[in-house]
Amino acid sequence: MPLVGVIAGSKSDAPTLKPTMELLEEFQISAEFMVASAHRTPDLLRSYVLSAAGNGVELFIAAAGGSAALPGAVAALTTLPVIGIP
C-alpha cells in the first residue's frame, strides 16, 4: 500500500517530480504517482484524493507548472498533509 500519493498536474510536470520519487524509493517509502489536473480533470483528482486514505496514503505531494492550484485543490479535499512543490 502506498504511503505517499505524488500528483502531477500534467505529464510535463513528471520531470520535476522524478527526484521526489527517487528519494522516496531510496528511503524505501512506498509511493504512487498519478497525473491529475485541478483544472482539466477535477473529477479524477477528487476521486483519487477521496479514495487515497482508504488505500493507505498518509501524505500527498503535488506539483503543477509552478502553480499552487493543484496542492490547494488537494488540501481542500482532505485533512491529510499536503506538500506543494512550486
Side-chain angles (χ1 to χ4, degrees):
M1 291 175 69
L3 183 64
V4 179
V6 180
I7 308 169
S10 70
K11 284 192 233 180
S12 65
D13 295 315
T16 300
L17 289 165
K18 185 177 182 203
T20 300
M21 294 300 292
E22 291 170 347
L23 189 61
L24 291 169
E25 184 177 336
E26 181 181 332
F27 285 104
Q28 298 179 353
I29 297 171
S30 176
E32 62 185 7
F33 179 86
M34 80 164 311
V35 175
S37 169
H39 302 289
R40 292 180 305 278
T41 58
D43 292 337
L44 174 64
L45 179 65
R46 179 180 180 82
S47 175
Y48 172 69
V49 171
L50 294 178
S51 66
N55 294 329
V57 171
E58 295 182 17
L59 167 77
F60 293 100
I61 299 174
S67 167
L70 181 61
V74 173
L77 295 168
T78 184
T79 57
L80 295 175
V82 179
I83 297 172
I85 299 175

